[in-house]
């Protein structure tokens, strides 16, 4: 009996390393299966909407190929957000000059611009003012225009303005109000939505 147990023990001793290796492999497989997936070197971390740099009391100017000033942006604080590549500006003041020399000024409590400045949103006491242009040979005079709203969306290159908020538009002596507006200066088309009211001054005799 003792001999049989001894032989059984000897056999168990022979298979013990195999059994331990099997248990170790099983444990390793379990750990690998339940461990969190590692972050690969090429995998990007989820970006959060936080600024990566700030500017204070700044002024940004842009020029065309001839060195002519095209636009200027001034603000008390500027924040750049890398996840959307946008610039947010407090107490924003914008100044732009069209190719024919006509100036446009925009102000607001806060402005949000995309990377190339082709789309700008103005929030809070938003005002856009375009200066008058005198008549020249072959070109009619254009009166000053002023747009006021709590929100204005601008496409400077396309000379378009849009808002879904109540708006007041003054052009020379004419005054219009509405619950929303779309204005295209290149096509000379203005669309007012909602409760629209207008005051049009009679044409002055020549």
């Amino acid at each position: 009996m003792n001999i049989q147990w001894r032989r059984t023990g000897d056999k168990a001793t022979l298979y013990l390393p195999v059994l331990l290796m099997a248990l170790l492999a099983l444990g390793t497989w379990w750990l690998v299966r339940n461990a969190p997936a590692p972050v690969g070197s090429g995998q990007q971390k989820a970006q959060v909407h936080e600024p990566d740099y700030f500017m204070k009391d700044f002024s940004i100017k842009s020029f065309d190929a001839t060195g002519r000033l095209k636009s200027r942006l001034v603000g008390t604080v500027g924040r750049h957000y890398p996840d959307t590549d946008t610039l947010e500006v407090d107490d924003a003041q914008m100044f732009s000059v069209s190719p024919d020399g006509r100036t446009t000024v925009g102000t607001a409590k806060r402005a949000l611009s995309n990377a190339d400045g082709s789309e700008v949103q103005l929030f809070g006491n938003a005002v856009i003012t375009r200066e008058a242009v005198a008549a020249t040979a072959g070109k009619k005079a254009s009166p000053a225009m002023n747009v006021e709203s709590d929100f204005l969306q601008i496409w400077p290159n396309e000379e378009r303005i849009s808002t879904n908020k109540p708006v007041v538009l003054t052009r020379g002596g004419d005054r219009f109000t509405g619950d929303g507006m779309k204005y295209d200066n290149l096509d000379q088309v203005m669309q007012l939505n909602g409760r629209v009211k207008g005051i049009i001054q009679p044409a002055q005799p020549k």
Side-chain angles (χ1 to χ4, degrees):
M1 191 70 176
N2 292 335
I3 295 175
Q4 184 177 358
W5 275 108
R6 184 178 300 173
R7 290 177 179 176
T8 303
D10 292 341
K11 290 181 179 180
T13 303
L14 292 174
Y15 289 107
L16 183 60
V18 179
L19 180 61
L20 290 176
M21 291 296 294
L23 290 174
L24 180 61
L26 182 63
T28 303
W29 172 82
W30 183 88
L31 288 174
V32 171
R33 183 179 180 184
N34 291 276
V39 178
S41 58
Q43 184 177 354
Q44 295 183 352
K45 295 182 180 179
Q47 289 185 322
V48 294
H49 191 63
E50 294 181 355
D52 56 350
Y53 67 81
F54 296 85
M55 296 181 290
K56 292 188 67 178
D57 299 324
F58 67 94
S59 175
I60 300 175
K61 298 179 181 179
S62 63
F63 302 85
D64 62 13
T66 64
R68 182 184 64 87
L69 177 67
K70 291 177 56 179
S71 64
R72 181 174 70 244
L73 174 63
V74 180
T76 56
V77 179
R79 296 171 291 273
H80 178 262
Y81 293 90
D83 59 326
T84 56
D85 198 12
T86 54
L87 180 65
E88 186 178 37
V89 181
D90 294 343
D91 301 319
Q93 299 180 23
M94 299 183 302
F95 173 86
S96 64
V97 184
S98 63
D100 61 359
R102 190 175 184 181
T103 60
T104 301
V105 179
T107 59
K109 289 184 178 179
R110 184 170 63 92
L112 186 65
S113 172
N114 63 353
D116 59 1
S118 60
E119 180 180 347
V120 182
Q121 299 179 62
L122 302 179
F123 304 88
N125 295 336
V127 180
I128 297 176
T129 302
R130 170 168 284 193
E131 71 173 356
V133 174
T136 57
K139 188 174 182 180
K140 295 181 179 180
S142 179
M145 187 184 73
N146 190 75
V147 182
E148 302 176 46
S149 181
D150 194 55
F151 167 74
L152 291 173
Q153 190 168 7
I154 314 163
W155 293 267
N157 299 335
E158 303 170 16
E159 298 188 32
R160 291 192 296 118
I161 303 173
S162 178
T163 181
N164 56 1
K165 300 289 185 179
V167 61
V168 177
L169 185 145
T170 305
R171 188 173 184 272
D174 303 335
R175 187 177 186 271
F176 303 90
T177 62
D179 294 331
M181 182 199 71
K182 292 182 179 180
Y183 177 76
D184 189 322
N185 183 64
L186 296 180
D187 292 337
Q188 291 292 295
V189 175
M190 179 184 66
Q191 178 183 341
L192 288 167
N193 306 319
R195 296 165 296 180
V196 178
K197 295 181 180 180
I199 300 176
I200 301 177
Q201 299 295 334
Q204 297 294 327
K206 295 182 180 180

